[in-house]
Amino acid sequence: MTAPAQATVQQGFPCDVGLQKISNNETSTINVSATCATARTVGVRISAGDTELANAEIDVKAGVQRTFSITVPKVERVCATLETDGESLAVCSG
């Protein structure tokens, strides 16, 4: 198992966002988390290169971290795009 790759950013996005990718020889588990000051619905799109791996909406309660996770065949690099209230943020992890 390789060490998890992690990224945490906010950059004007109304929620704190985290991305973690944990891989072994065969699979990668991708965890995308969001914590927002107010309750909101956040769209989450996860991709590897030009391939979309997941597209979902998560309901985030005020001040409570919500995590969306998927496990896929091993990928080297993954990106997540989060959207809420007309704002979007992309974060990538090795």
Side-chain angles (χ1 to χ4, degrees):
M1 182 182 295
T2 59
Q6 298 182 6
T8 304
V9 294
Q10 185 172 356
Q11 300 173 349
F13 193 70
C15 305
D16 289 325
V17 173
L19 173 66
Q20 179 184 53
K21 178 180 70 81
I22 303 170
S23 296
N24 61 29
N25 290 336
E26 298 177 7
T27 63
S28 295
T29 299
I30 299 129
N31 302 304
V32 179
S33 62
T35 306
C36 309
T38 59
R40 61 182 67 231
T41 299
V42 177
V44 178
R45 201 169 54 245
I46 301 172
S47 60
D50 293 332
T51 304
E52 184 176 280
L53 303 174
N55 192 341
E57 288 190 344
I58 57 174
D59 291 321
V60 181
K61 295 180 181 178
V64 178
Q65 179 176 308
R66 180 76 192 271
T67 302
F68 177 78
S69 300
I70 61 169
T71 298
V72 298
K74 186 176 180 178
V75 293
E76 292 304 315
R77 179 174 165 86
V78 66
C79 294
T81 302
L82 290 89
E83 298 179 352
T84 188
D85 294 340
E87 299 285 335
S88 67
L89 175 72
V91 60
C92 296
S93 182

